[in-house]
Amino acid sequence: QVQLVESGGGLVQAGGSLRLSCAASGRTISDHVMGWFRQAPGKEREFVAVISRSGGIRYYADSVKGRFTISRDDAKNTVYLQMNSLRPEDTAVYYCAADQSGSGYKTRLYDYDSWGQGTQVTVSS
């Protein structure tokens, strides 16, 4: 399995931006579907965004559509999540995940084989 490490989280004011990175090691992610999920305190982990193996398909949760952008750089074995126009309700621990099947694009937690440890994003009002 691939090992994933997220970074880039922090404290930001509402309306601000952050870019999360997910660095992979152990295997190339070029044959993986990659996703971002988040978990707010007291809530279940939820889907945020996914990018297909080729990068040609990107799919977002309705709550972040138009504000967040997922991208991948397979040469760097890294996936990114650009988050703009942040809102207090975006506050959560953000997790990167890899689906080694490499097919389609997945939005369900159990479709993913590898997970990072998460990075905290806090948006103040």
Side-chain angles (χ1 to χ4, degrees):
Q1 288 185 338
V2 64
Q3 288 78 51
L4 304 172
V5 178
E6 302 94 336
S7 62
L11 173 64
V12 64
Q13 288 188 333
S17 299
L18 284 173
R19 188 176 83 153
L20 305 183
S21 298
C22 171
S25 61
R27 283 186 61 181
T28 176
I29 62 167
S30 61
D31 55 356
H32 289 66
V33 172
M34 300 298 296
W36 285 96
F37 291 77
R38 67 186 181 186
Q39 187 167 17
K43 295 187 177 181
E44 294 186 350
R45 194 170 300 188
E46 65 177 6
F47 166 76
V48 175
V50 60
I51 187 166
S52 63
R53 188 173 62 181
S54 69
I57 298 174
R58 307 180 194 197
Y59 184 75
Y60 300 92
D62 287 344
S63 58
V64 306
K65 201 172 296 182
R67 300 187 297 122
F68 290 12
T69 302
I70 187 171
S71 61
R72 63 190 300 157
D73 185 340
D74 290 347
K76 295 183 178 180
N77 228 26
T78 301
V79 178
Y80 303 97
L81 186 67
Q82 177 67 44
M83 306 186 296
N84 298 328
S85 302
L86 283 161
R87 305 167 180 169
E89 53 264 39
D90 294 318
T91 295
V93 177
Y94 283 72
Y95 297 90
C96 175
D99 166 26
Q100 65 182 1
S101 77
S103 61
Y105 56 99
K106 314 289 176 59
T107 63
R108 300 174 300 189
L109 275 70
Y110 56 81
D111 285 321
Y112 289 82
D113 315 286
S114 302
W115 292 84
Q117 85 292 346
T119 185
Q120 176 70 47
V121 171
T122 303
V123 184
S124 63
S125 57

